[in-house]
Amino acid sequence: AQSVAQPEDQVNVAEGNPLTVKCTYSVSGNPYLFWYVQYPNRGLQFLLKYITGDNLVKGSYGFEAEFNKSQTSFHLKKPSALVSDSALYFCAVRDNGGYSSASKIIFGSGTRLSIRP
Amino acid sequence: NAGVTQTPKFQVLKTGQSMTLQCAQDMNHEYMSWYRQDPGMGLRLIHYSVGAGITDQGEVPNGYNVSRSTTEDFPLRLLSAAPSQTSVYFCASSYSYQGSGSYEQYFGPGTRLTVT
């Protein structure tokens, strides 16, 4: 069964500094990986995804993520944080194991990102 | 397009009552799913569906039923509400789960359920 872990409940960064939000995963086949953001009292919004190809994926709002197969990680990054980036971030994984039946999309526990001015 | 809609936005139930959370999408998405969000637990998958007439269990299916009679609708039924089901419920949909198409999910605004 697939799983995803976000080891940090909260990440605190000063505005203008680079940020990293960590995600590791476990799947039996090839992973499809996603990052979502949730603002207070809102649903989740898609940020970016890795399906195949380049290990560095670029997404919305200046975010990017690096897929590392050997470390089974998919960390979210941004070169220069903004106060408006403060939100709850979720990593998700789908196991593309080639099964004929549908694959579940499993989410991590979330990381709260706080950017201080 | 309205996207993914959920009703109601808020609901309070007494223990033992039953109810149905409604979810609809107008994007002709094949894949639909229900999650519950609890503090510190992230989003946990309750049930999902890959098309009309096909449903399957997720991580925490107990106490919930689903059906998918049309592509557009995916209602979640609480059979006998318990305080442990107090949560925020999100419905999501996406394009085909197979092939080379887009896989990201579109989420509804959520239903905040309290069971007393």
Side-chain angles (χ1 to χ4, degrees):
Chain A
Q2 76 255 45
S3 64
V4 59
Q6 294 181 242
E8 303 157 316
D9 290 337
Q10 177 137 355
V11 171
N12 299 309
V13 177
E15 187 174 29
N17 283 0
L19 68 87
T20 298
V21 183
K22 296 179 180 177
C23 172
T24 59
Y25 67 90
S26 174
V27 296
S28 57
N30 293 319
Y32 287 176
L33 294 154
F34 307 85
W35 276 102
Y36 289 82
V37 59
Q38 184 181 34
Y39 297 101
N41 300 314
R42 302 287 295 274
L44 276 69
Q45 298 176 33
F46 168 75
L47 276 180
L48 51 79
K49 65 183 177 184
Y50 172 82
I51 302 299
T52 187
D54 289 341
N55 290 341
L56 186 63
V57 178
K58 294 188 183 298
S60 305
Y61 312 120
F63 283 94
E64 57 190 30
E66 186 170 11
F67 171 65
N68 187 316
K69 188 172 183 177
S70 63
Q71 298 186 3
T72 61
S73 67
F74 189 57
H75 300 334
L76 181 70
K77 301 180 179 183
K78 188 173 183 180
S80 179
L82 299 173
V83 172
S84 57
D85 293 329
S86 298
L88 190 56
Y89 290 80
F90 290 96
C91 182
V93 65
R94 184 173 87 79
D95 188 346
N96 184 32
Y99 313 119
S100 59
S101 60
S103 294
K104 306 171 189 178
I105 302 172
I106 302 298
F107 281 75
S109 55
T111 298
R112 188 164 301 281
L113 179 63
S114 178
I115 309 299
R116 60 184 184 276
Chain B
N1 285 352
V4 180
T5 58
Q6 291 183 238
T7 56
K9 290 188 177 180
F10 302 94
Q11 183 70 50
V12 178
L13 290 178
K14 295 186 185 301
T15 298
Q17 287 184 317
S18 62
M19 80 159 295
T20 299
L21 307 185
Q22 300 293 344
C23 175
Q25 53 90 9
D26 60 359
M27 297 172 282
N28 202 31
H29 285 169
E30 295 178 343
Y31 187 98
M32 295 187 74
S33 55
W34 276 102
Y35 294 87
R36 59 177 289 175
Q37 183 177 19
D38 303 292
M41 304 291 290
L43 271 76
R44 291 181 291 171
L45 181 65
I46 304 172
H47 287 285
Y48 64 103
S49 168
V50 299
I54 306 170
T55 64
D56 207 346
Q57 295 181 350
E59 302 170 280
V60 288
N62 292 341
Y64 307 94
N65 272 0
V66 293
S67 60
R68 185 97 179 267
S69 57
T70 67
T71 299
E72 294 78 19
D73 300 299
F74 191 44
L76 178 72
R77 279 180 284 276
L78 279 70
L79 308 174
S80 178
S84 61
Q85 294 179 305
T86 294
S87 188
V88 180
Y89 291 85
F90 288 101
C91 179
S93 71
S94 69
Y95 288 109
S96 174
Y97 64 97
Q98 291 180 332
S100 59
S102 173
Y103 296 94
E104 62 264 29
Q105 296 191 90
Y106 294 78
F107 282 80
T111 295
R112 188 174 294 274
L113 176 68
T114 301
V115 183
T116 61

